[in-house]
Amino acid sequence: MPYDPSNPLQDRITDIGPKYFREFFPPVIEKNFGKWVYHEILEPGVLVHVAESGDEIYTVRVGGARLMSVELLREMAEIADKYCGGYLRFTTRNNIEFLVSDKAKVKPLVDDLKSRKFDGGSYKFPVGGTGSGITNIVHTQGWAHCHTPAIDASGVVKAVMDSLFDEFGSMRMPAPVRVSLACCLNMCGAVHCSDIAILGIHRKPPMIDGEWIDKLCELPLAIAACPTAAIKPAKTASGLKALEVNAERCMFCGNCYTMCAAMPLADEVGSGIAILVGGKLSNRISKPKFSKVVIPFIPNEPPRWPSTVDAVKKIVDVYAKDARKYERLGDWAERIGWERFFEKTEIPFTHHLIDDYRFAYTTWRQSTQFKF
Amino acid sequence: MGKHKTPMLDELENGPWPSFVSDIKQQVEKGKHILKDAPDDLLGVLEMSYEDKVTHWKHGGIVGVFGYGGGIIGRYCDQPQQFPGVAHFHTVRVNQPSSKYYTTKFLRELCDLWDRHGSGLTNMHGSTGDIVFLGTTTDHLEPLFYDMTHELNQDLGGSGSNLRTPECCLGMSRCEFACYDSQEACHQMTNAYQEELHRPAFPYKFKFKFDACPNGCVASIARSDMSVIGTWRDDIRINQEAVKAYVGGELKPNAGAHSSRDWGKFDIIAEVINLCPTNCMCWDGSKLEINNAECVRCMHCLNVMPRALRIGEDRGASILFGAKAPILEGAQMSTLTVPFMKMEPPFDELKELIEKVWDWWMEEGKNRERLGELIQRKSMQEFLRVIELEPDPRMVDEPRSNPYIFWKEEEVEGGWTRDIEVYRTKHPR
Ligand code: HEM
Ligand code: HEM
Ligand code: HEM
Ligand code: HEM
Ligand code: SF4
Ligand code: SF4
Ligand code: SF4
Ligand code: SF4
């Protein structure tokens, strides 16, 4: 019986949660669950895991655009039926993994995947994303679906991945390089702890829609939303209750707009990209680190954001050449010193990069140790 | 061909990386989705944003299904006349199975469902983990939910001020480093707290994530208010023959992760012994020794020699609290709170802890204050008191350096009530 709008609560099922993951395991995974002994990366994009029983499962990892159509999902299903007994999975960085139990099918699968292209010419299923290379970019909604972005997500990611494409399919970095993108500083994702992060920022204070603000917003919530206390109550010329932004104190975070529709701040030339580097979240050798801002602003340049692409590429190239084996980008920058990082990457150091938010003091240099 | 001209987006069909534009266009042409104009008009409005360099989505949007307070993100285009296909373009979050294994049968059922009720476009997956159905109209929401629960036995994910959809690394299903069953923990916690997930009752959002070892493949330490990270407390198991095989060059370091470049012959001293953060390893040319008491379980040596070194056998997890993105008080990673907890289903000890944390935060948390901010405002000490844990040097990187120390009155002999006249009997004015 289908849904009956005249009786919405009839037959309603709730609180059943997700499907049980074990329903979706390939038999080899089910049998050897928790009994894996080792793994090996056979070539970029291809892994083998070996269990105590001697059983093997092969994994072929391919890049995904994350925003994808059901037609493409159906094509993946077809491939998984043909080579993988109908099993596949998605990774935490939005790549797709085809799980192959039959070794003889690995090469035909890889060849098949590499041969599939969209009409426009891009690969549908590029193989890679393993080991010390550059895997998929964790990213957000952008202009495709969100109301608070300073930049697009899908477009910038496509432009950057095109330029880093060779690194997706190879493993020649000193350590894995994680690139992430968030289109505003809500940072839906992993931007604050990635090797390279692309972040949308604004540079103009919000405008106030005076005639509407009291109707659309809970004014105290907007005031409380401001990290720098730049917002205070005000009255419009016509006597309506409104808010006022002290532009000198505003650093354009956009949180007031998140709370209040009458305070938009995105702008054609004001909004753009900041680049952060040096974050990580594994505990390997060094502790997890936040990413740090090294380029305060690059303009939005749709559709291919060339200045952003160049900046990312340059940082990757210098790091790849200079860092030691196993050294994450942040470990490298800390070892050589940030002054050397700016010198080697030829990025200008400006006043915007010096912290001035609350306990900023700890980020200045209380020492005479520095390099000329 | 599409009905809008999209010269800028067309540029993004070039280049090798999978093009979302080509994919959306193929959905426009071949798709059997019910909202015929949606993908095409999405490209149209996106092209307009590429020209204007500003988003064309209106602020906010409150929609949902009866009985739930979240799960669906309402969205309306600010140019509905020009792009009627995306005048309503709501996102539906669908709770994914732990670590995202699928059968093609289930994947196709999801596709069919979304064809019948939406745009045919998805995000696989949202950064919190959900399957994201991208774009439908308000009148499709209830029928979609009805069919999803009745036909697929599948529920919505979370949004709003509540428990969001939990997520885990793939754990014991395909990784030899897994120290507990992160998938089972994720699944059981999701089911235990369905009420908290579907009906917002918290001061703000709350996320769980489960990593089965400190490599952090689901990034729990940075992306969840409660991060459960697997570890062990006995010795790393060493296979000395395999160590020799690495030294001899028969086995590839780091499972071959660096093999596209010539880094020279594997040098166990340079690549393992000298990089150990605690200097607790020793190689005398024939035998590898680890002073396990000094090991901080950073995973480096295991990552480099996965066939020679294995996690210990007394396993569990560390539990850390408070990670969040910058808004409002600055970004935080989670802080170590429980150094070690056994992690066996049904995870009663973990549930007990979660409920103590929630009781406190729901009572004390201000509107839109994340747990990490509450801990900062009220202090780590207060947090430890409410969850009934003794302070432990493992919880800090270093002791405080300022001496602005609060003492409880009962800790100080004689208390705080004093008489100045008594003082004056010995110290005249
Ligand atoms: C054999 C396969 C894999 C191995 C050996 C592996 C290993 C690791 C290691 C060692 C780290 C920490 C690296 C570091 O910070 O030094 C890491 C991080 C991570 N891995 Fe994996 N990983 C594998 C597969 C995957 C897959 C398939 C995914 C997701 C689909 C994934 C997602 C992540 C994420 C999200 C992180 C943290 C990313 C970040 O720093 O932004 N990993 N992985
Ligand atoms: C130096 C060592 C390692 C590095 C650099 C590394 C890196 C990564 C990366 C980059 C990913 C994300 C892949 C993607 O989605 O594109 C990943 C995922 C993953 N890694 Fe590793 N990895 C390492 C070691 C390991 C080891 C030793 C294991 C298991 C024994 C492992 C198991 C996994 C698994 C299972 C995932 C998938 C997580 C998921 O999708 O949920 N990794 N790793
Ligand atoms: C205003 C509209 C917003 C939209 C459209 C939006 C959209 C999203 C989406 C689609 C996801 C992935 C969800 C999933 O996988 O289920 C997400 C995750 C996230 N959102 Fe938002 N978001 C918004 C506002 C915010 C705000 C206000 C904050 C913080 C103050 C925020 C912080 C985050 C974070 C940190 C994540 C990632 C969590 C993780 O890594 O697991 N978002 N957001
Ligand atoms: C009852 C309160 C205090 C007493 C009795 C006290 C006493 C002293 C004494 C005896 C010295 C050594 C002077 C010398 O070497 O000739 C000293 C040095 C110093 N005191 Fe205090 N002090 C007090 C409070 C403070 C406070 C509140 C601060 C700062 C917030 C402070 C900062 C210093 C500094 C910076 C020095 C110099 C240390 C150095 O030589 O490196 N003192 N104090
Ligand atoms: S990062 Fe900001 S703009 Fe991007 S999806 Fe999240 S809330 Fe929206
Ligand atoms: S944009 Fe941020 S800093 Fe500026 S007024 Fe709004 S909340 Fe305050
Ligand atoms: S977090 Fe650890 S156990 Fe989980 S998949 Fe990553 S390496 Fe394996
Ligand atoms: S896990 Fe890390 S700390 Fe422990 S012995 Fe290995 S390298 Fe050293």
Side-chain angles (χ1 to χ4, degrees):
Chain A
M1 214 180 44
Y3 172 70
D4 175 6
S6 65
N7 194 355
L9 296 183
Q10 180 185 308
D11 295 333
R12 179 161 292 259
I13 298 176
T14 63
D15 301 291
I16 53 178
K19 303 283 276 188
Y20 190 45
F21 57 97
R22 288 217 181 204
E23 290 175 31
F24 300 141
F25 279 169
V28 182
I29 297 256
E30 178 60 43
K31 176 175 163 212
N32 297 290
F33 185 86
K35 301 194 184 111
W36 299 101
V37 191
Y38 70 91
H39 74 283
E40 211 173 307
I41 306 177
L42 300 174
E43 59 183 273
V46 183
L47 308 163
V48 60
H49 285 76
V50 182
E52 280 166 14
S53 63
D55 289 352
E56 296 179 334
I57 182 107
Y58 292 82
T59 301
V60 178
R61 186 179 297 167
V62 304
R66 194 179 85 108
L67 198 177
M68 46 184 64
S69 70
V70 296
E71 290 308 312
L72 192 68
L73 289 171
R74 289 196 174 101
E75 187 169 343
M76 289 173 206
E78 234 171 75
I79 298 170
D81 280 345
K82 186 161 170 200
Y83 300 97
C84 311
Y87 298 97
L88 74 169
R89 67 176 292 273
F90 294 79
T91 73
T92 53
R93 297 190 73 87
N94 308 311
N95 290 315
I96 302 115
E97 292 185 338
F98 293 98
L99 302 160
V100 194
S101 311
D102 176 358
K103 185 175 181 179
K105 289 193 173 159
V106 173
K107 181 151 186 333
L109 168 61
V110 170
D111 292 342
D112 185 348
L113 289 166
K114 288 183 174 169
S115 72
R116 290 175 191 249
K117 292 190 170 182
F118 286 109
D119 290 343
S122 63
Y123 288 99
K124 283 180 171 167
F125 305 111
V127 177
T130 53
S132 291
I134 302 186
T135 182
N136 212 339
I137 301 184
V138 169
H139 65 276
T140 49
Q141 303 298 78
W143 295 331
H145 200 249
C146 192
H147 59 222
T148 64
I151 60 173
D152 188 34
S154 302
V156 184
V157 165
K158 162 75 174 149
V160 173
M161 281 311 290
D162 279 342
S163 93
L164 297 177
F165 188 73
D166 289 348
E167 309 309 333
F168 182 80
S170 78
M171 308 187 289
R172 58 192 178 201
M173 293 288 136
V177 180
R178 308 285 202 275
V179 186
S180 311
L181 175 146
C183 32
C184 85
L185 63 194
N186 284 335
M187 296 192 183
C188 304
V191 156
H192 58 309
C193 44
S194 304
D195 296 276
I196 301 182
I198 301 167
L199 176 63
I201 58 153
H202 303 289
R203 295 183 303 160
K204 297 189 183 188
M207 297 165 278
I208 307 275
D209 208 343
E211 297 299 312
W212 287 92
I213 193 163
D214 192 31
K215 298 188 189 69
L216 293 176
C217 310
E218 294 227 32
L219 302 185
L221 287 185
I223 294 172
C226 183
T228 58
I231 308 177
K232 62 177 188 196
K235 285 238 159 71
T236 64
S238 55
L240 296 172
K241 271 207 273 179
L243 296 175
E244 188 175 282
V245 172
N246 177 351
E248 305 287 298
R249 293 187 76 142
C250 172
M251 45 62 185
F252 331 110
C253 69
N255 199 39
C256 51
Y257 180 59
T258 299
M259 298 308 295
C260 171
M263 301 181 72
L265 77 166
D267 187 82
E268 179 173 0
V269 295
S271 306
I273 284 172
I275 304 277
L276 293 79
V277 308
K280 72 188 271 274
L281 36 77
S282 84
N283 289 276
R284 187 176 189 173
I285 307 177
S286 60
K287 292 175 187 166
K289 302 179 203 286
F290 287 122
S291 344
K292 285 108 186 142
V293 185
V294 295
I295 304 181
F297 186 75
I298 304 175
N300 262 319
E301 300 168 322
R304 296 208 70 101
W305 282 269
S307 308
T308 301
V309 168
D310 288 350
V312 171
K313 190 81 171 65
K314 174 86 188 197
I315 294 168
V316 166
D317 288 347
V318 175
Y319 157 76
K321 201 159 137 260
D322 204 61
R324 296 176 184 163
K325 192 174 179 187
Y326 305 114
E327 207 166 47
R328 293 284 292 260
L329 204 154
D331 297 330
W332 166 68
E334 284 175 13
R335 175 173 60 80
I336 64 174
W338 286 98
E339 61 267 48
R340 274 287 176 275
F341 170 87
F342 284 98
E343 183 185 308
K344 284 176 191 269
T345 55
E346 299 171 330
I347 296 172
F349 187 85
T350 68
H351 72 87
H352 310 98
L353 305 179
I354 301 178
D355 196 357
D356 53 8
Y357 185 70
R358 301 202 185 171
F359 304 108
Y361 161 82
T362 53
T363 64
W364 309 333
R365 191 165 295 190
Q366 286 88 33
S367 155
T368 55
Q369 297 185 10
F370 62 86
K371 295 178 184 173
F372 287 104
Chain B
M1 273 286 96
K3 62 182 178 184
H4 304 289
K5 281 218 178 344
T6 55
M8 291 218 239
L9 288 174
D10 293 350
E11 284 286 319
L12 291 172
E13 293 201 78
N14 302 325
W17 186 250
S19 167
F20 69 100
V21 177
S22 299
D23 190 14
I24 297 175
K25 284 187 178 177
Q26 88 167 4
Q27 184 69 26
V28 171
E29 280 163 31
K30 291 196 276 185
K32 293 176 281 295
H33 52 283
I34 187 156
L35 301 176
K36 264 290 144 232
D37 292 332
D40 210 352
D41 279 346
L42 179 65
L43 288 175
V45 71
L46 196 55
E47 180 77 15
M48 183 182 260
S49 281
Y50 274 43
E51 284 159 15
D52 297 346
K53 303 186 196 174
V54 175
T55 188
H56 279 289
W57 300 101
K58 287 190 193 179
H59 186 279
I62 297 174
V63 292
V65 296
F66 274 112
Y68 284 3
I72 299 173
I73 313 299
R75 208 46 101 223
Y76 302 93
C77 180
D78 71 7
Q79 302 290 334
Q81 272 79 28
Q82 249 187 14
F83 307 109
V86 292
H88 301 220
F89 201 66
H90 311 322
T91 294
V92 181
R93 292 184 182 173
V94 180
N95 199 153
Q96 85 291 356
S98 281
S99 76
K100 304 169 187 148
Y101 282 85
Y102 294 97
T103 54
T104 51
K105 175 170 175 291
F106 184 62
L107 201 58
R108 286 199 180 92
E109 285 168 352
L110 284 170
C111 292
D112 294 344
L113 179 72
W114 189 226
D115 263 347
R116 276 189 281 140
H117 293 295
S119 69
L121 301 179
T122 74
N123 286 161
M124 297 297 276
H125 296 70
S127 44
T128 303
D130 290 296
I131 300 159
V132 174
F133 284 169
L134 196 61
T136 190
T137 54
T138 309
D139 54 336
H140 272 288
L141 296 176
E142 288 289 356
L144 167 71
F145 180 64
Y146 187 95
D147 291 354
M148 191 165 78
T149 49
H150 285 76
E151 294 166 17
L152 268 60
N153 187 26
Q154 167 68 52
D155 208 337
L156 292 178
S159 71
S161 290
N162 58 1
L163 174 65
R164 297 295 183 82
T165 305
E167 194 188 12
C168 57
C169 76
L170 56 60
M172 293 166 76
S173 74
R174 208 196 63 203
C175 184
E176 68 270 25
F177 294 165
C179 301
Y180 74 99
D181 189 347
S182 55
Q183 295 167 291
E184 189 68 34
C186 180
H187 187 78
Q188 291 210 18
M189 291 307 120
T190 309
N191 282 320
Y193 298 113
Q194 283 287 299
E195 171 75 23
E196 287 76 6
L197 194 153
H198 293 303
R199 294 166 200 90
F202 291 163
Y204 203 8
K205 60 175 111 170
F206 197 97
K207 294 174 184 170
F208 295 156
K209 281 188 170 61
F210 301 87
D211 278 310
C213 88
N215 277 333
C217 289
V218 77
S220 67
I221 199 168
R223 295 166 44 195
S224 54
D225 300 82
M226 184 183 81
S227 323
V228 181
I229 304 179
T231 193
W232 65 93
R233 56 183 172 183
D234 54 351
D235 293 351
I236 293 175
R237 290 172 289 166
I238 308 177
N239 175 340
Q240 299 290 353
E241 290 314 307
V243 176
K244 284 183 197 138
Y246 279 105
V247 174
E250 293 102 75
L251 295 176
K252 283 187 283 184
N254 221 120
H258 297 76
S259 53
S260 308
R261 173 160 157 193
D262 183 7
W263 290 93
K265 187 175 174 305
F266 176 63
D267 177 349
I268 192 171
I269 299 287
E271 296 188 35
V272 182
I273 309 295
N274 290 352
L275 290 183
C276 169
T278 60
N279 282 315
C280 68
M281 307 183 80
C282 173
W283 169 251
D284 65 4
S286 64
K287 188 157 183 264
L288 180 71
E289 277 178 276
I290 300 178
N291 179 358
N292 283 282
E294 301 306 312
C295 165
V296 290
R297 300 165 318 284
C298 80
M299 298 298 295
H300 175 65
C301 58
L302 295 93
N303 285 341
V304 176
M305 303 191 291
R307 293 179 75 163
L309 300 178
R310 301 187 67 189
I311 57 173
E313 296 189 281
D314 183 6
R315 299 171 199 158
S318 304
I319 301 171
L320 301 83
F321 285 98
K324 57 177 286 290
I327 300 287
L328 203 57
E329 305 283 337
Q332 293 184 26
M333 290 199 225
S334 285
T335 297
L336 182 66
T337 306
V338 180
F340 189 88
M341 183 187 279
K342 277 287 186 189
M343 291 290 288
E344 304 290 343
F347 308 103
D348 286 333
E349 202 184 342
L350 183 65
K351 286 186 197 154
E352 215 176 288
L353 175 67
I354 290 169
E355 286 161 27
K356 280 185 208 162
V357 171
W358 281 351
D359 282 347
W360 180 60
W361 177 58
M362 288 170 73
E363 182 79 25
E364 298 285 339
K366 293 199 282 195
N367 181 36
R368 283 175 52 90
E369 183 176 48
R370 291 287 284 270
L371 176 68
E373 290 166 340
L374 177 65
I375 298 174
Q376 281 218 45
R377 181 164 64 85
K378 287 282 186 181
S379 82
M380 181 78 179
Q381 287 90 326
E382 180 68 14
F383 181 52
L384 295 179
R385 275 192 287 276
V386 296
I387 61 174
E388 298 167 274
L389 277 189
E390 290 301 317
D392 183 314
R394 281 163 271 259
M395 295 168 183
V396 295
D397 262 351
E398 57 182 31
R400 70 191 305 154
S401 48
N402 70 65
Y404 304 161
I405 304 167
F406 290 97
W407 293 84
K408 296 261 170 220
E409 185 172 8
E410 58 272 21
E411 289 178 304
V412 186
E413 305 83 53
W416 291 346
T417 311
R418 288 186 291 163
D419 186 344
I420 184 74
E421 294 309 330
V422 175
Y423 177 80
R424 285 298 168 213
T425 60
K426 280 190 162 180
H427 309 284
R429 276 173 204 104

